[in-house]
Amino acid sequence: MDCIFCSIISGDIPSKKVYEDENLYAFYDIEPAAPTHVLIVPKKHIASIMDLTEEDAPLVGGILLGIQKIAKELGLEENGFRVVNNMGQHGGQTVFHIHFHLIGGRQLFGMV
Ligand code: AMP
Ligand code: ZN
């Protein structure tokens, strides 16, 4: 399968790793929208939020807990941060391997 994030997880495409556990891989976004911009990706290839199934529930919980750990490690807890998931065309999704953006390090405004 031709998926850029699967290639990043396997190490075929280089990335700046922030965090890794059994189920998750997190790395710095190549085009940061803020001083800190990390992508949190499950190692399992799931195209989008619409492709999750009941059996993925523990994985989804692990993503939020992973984000919590990363936010603490990167010092984002005190001032806060944003977590974003883009789905499909109107959502602005460009990589069809589900991922969550962790964005912080400056004041964020608005929703879009
Ligand atoms: P989305 O638009 O929500 O699908 O987000 C995809 C994100 O992946 C964008 O913010 C890109 O900047 C980022 N991205 C694409 N290719 C790479 C890469 N090779 N390394 C790190 N981030 C990437
Ligand atoms: Zn993938």
Side-chain angles (χ1 to χ4, degrees):
M1 194 194 336
D2 199 19
C3 169
I4 188 169
F5 285 176
C6 283
S7 299
I8 284 175
I9 292 160
S10 70
D12 291 339
I13 292 178
S15 65
K16 283 176 69 183
K17 181 165 95 171
V18 175
Y19 174 83
E20 184 172 13
D21 65 25
E22 191 187 342
N23 299 313
L24 305 181
Y25 188 80
F27 54 100
Y28 285 105
D29 196 294
I30 205 166
E31 277 185 63
T36 303
H37 187 165
V38 174
L39 300 174
I40 296 88
V41 177
K43 290 180 176 176
K44 177 181 176 185
H45 180 91
I46 299 167
S48 83
I49 210 165
M50 299 313 293
D51 296 287
L52 291 166
T53 65
E54 287 294 329
E55 74 170 23
D56 296 318
L59 179 65
V60 173
I63 289 171
L64 286 180
L65 292 169
I67 288 170
Q68 183 193 69
K69 280 190 197 134
I70 294 163
K72 274 186 190 158
E73 276 171 23
L74 298 182
L76 297 175
E77 188 176 8
E78 187 180 348
N79 288 326
F81 55 86
R82 185 172 292 177
V83 177
V84 173
N85 171 259
N86 297 326
M87 156 57 206
Q89 187 184 342
H90 279 190
Q93 185 176 8
T94 59
V95 177
F96 287 83
H97 180 137
I98 191 171
H99 54 279
F100 293 78
H101 299 253
L102 169 60
I103 302 165
R106 67 168 171 83
Q107 181 65 55
L108 300 168
F109 299 95
M111 283 301 293
V112 292

